[in-house]
Amino acid sequence: MNLIMLGAPGSGKGTMAKFISSDFSLPHISTGDIFRKNIKDGTELGNKVKSILDAGELVPDELTIDLVKDRLKEADCKNGFILDGFPRTLVQAEALEKFASIDSVILIDLPFEVIEERLSGRRSCPSCGEVYHTSTYKETNCQKCDASLIQREDDKLETVRARLKVYEKQTSPLIEFYKNKIFKVEGKGTPEETYAPVKKFLKEMK
Ligand code: ADP
Ligand code: ZN
């Protein structure tokens, strides 16, 4: 199964992708995670993209496309994959058509007001990548590895608004592009509630 997660930043794509990855044994490929890891490790790529991510803008298409193209060549992708955060522009979607065939696109639907609230309360573990929300997790350290939680620079309210604008303009046209492959779910419930119909759909598809 070759899947794409589509939805605004903060709609819960990453969380759904993790559930799917574990239930269906598919690699979870998050371009945002790949960029953040490179920034953290201080690689050449990381240094190139840091200011772009901090501003909530998009990394250039060519760079992102090459990165995903290489990642999909790895052995773990041979039985399928979940793309999370890619494609994010029509140029990326058109490029992807040339090196992969997509079975289904899971679209998470959520109003922008809810997203603003969610993202500005989000805290992440810089060490293992676990994600928390201030409304449900009051601790300052990660439950899994005890590292101090941080707020991503791009989760600050101003940047969240910039990211939503970018989504509206550059990414939402993909809903039309993939209209024949979209499975849409309502994203406002708990992660488990959002995941239930997705799981059912994917089981039937398999
Ligand atoms: P979210 O979906 O919550 O915005 P991600 O972790 O997917 O967060 O992405 C974080 C940032 O990484 C984006 O704001 C953007 O700067 C960069 N990025 C991730 N994926 C792409 C992509 N496909 N094309 C361009 N930039 C990307
Ligand atoms: Zn952790």
Side-chain angles (χ1 to χ4, degrees):
M1 273 192 307
N2 298 344
L3 307 175
I4 291 173
M5 300 301 309
L6 191 60
S11 58
K13 297 188 301 288
T15 307
M16 285 310 110
K18 280 180 195 144
F19 286 159
I20 298 170
S21 171
S22 110
D23 278 345
F24 296 89
S25 308
L26 295 172
H28 170 199
I29 301 169
S30 158
T31 42
D33 286 351
I34 297 173
F35 291 135
R36 279 187 294 277
K37 172 139 198 331
N38 276 274
I39 292 172
K40 192 172 153 232
D41 295 345
T43 67
E44 194 185 327
L45 171 67
N47 297 336
K48 219 187 269 181
V49 302
K50 180 173 189 322
S51 61
I52 301 177
L53 265 80
D54 285 350
E57 289 160 8
L58 293 186
V59 172
D61 282 330
E62 201 188 338
L63 209 167
T64 312
I65 291 164
D66 284 346
L67 183 101
V68 173
K69 193 173 176 182
D70 283 345
R71 179 65 187 85
L72 294 185
K73 283 180 193 149
E74 286 177 35
D76 63 340
C77 295
K78 122 176 147 289
N79 296 319
F81 52 79
I82 313 159
L83 287 172
D84 164 15
F86 183 94
R88 238 179 171 94
T89 64
L90 278 172
V91 172
Q92 293 178 11
E94 277 156 7
L96 179 65
E97 299 273 287
K98 304 206 178 84
F99 57 84
S101 74
I102 299 303
D103 298 305
S104 222
V105 178
I106 317 280
L107 171 66
I108 307 182
D109 197 32
L110 197 64
F112 280 9
E113 310 86 77
V114 183
I115 291 182
E116 286 188 5
E117 199 272 322
R118 274 198 189 176
L119 285 183
S120 47
R122 179 156 82 175
R123 298 293 178 270
S124 322
C125 175
S127 178
C128 74
E130 190 63 20
V131 180
Y132 300 91
H133 196 275
T134 49
S135 63
T136 54
Y137 189 76
K138 309 285 179 196
E139 310 297 321
T140 56
N141 288 58
C142 179
Q143 206 167 26
K144 287 194 170 161
C145 72
D146 204 42
S148 277
L149 299 180
I150 55 157
Q151 180 175 40
R152 271 165 48 178
E153 197 54 45
D154 63 348
D155 279 346
K156 303 199 166 143
L157 189 58
E158 240 172 274
T159 318
V160 165
R161 295 203 166 126
R163 285 160 66 201
L164 289 172
K165 281 216 182 88
V166 170
Y167 174 79
E168 206 166 15
K169 192 158 175 255
Q170 312 238 65
T171 311
S172 66
L174 297 184
I175 299 173
E176 174 65 21
F177 183 87
Y178 287 120
K179 64 172 186 274
N180 299 323
K181 293 184 176 171
I182 285 194
F183 180 75
K184 182 167 155 183
V185 281
E186 196 54 68
K188 61 176 182 282
T190 63
E192 289 74 17
E193 283 164 353
T194 308
Y195 181 51
V198 176
K199 184 173 182 176
K200 185 164 177 281
F201 167 74
L202 293 176
K203 271 196 165 155
E204 284 162 5
M205 191 177 121
K206 232 169 88 173

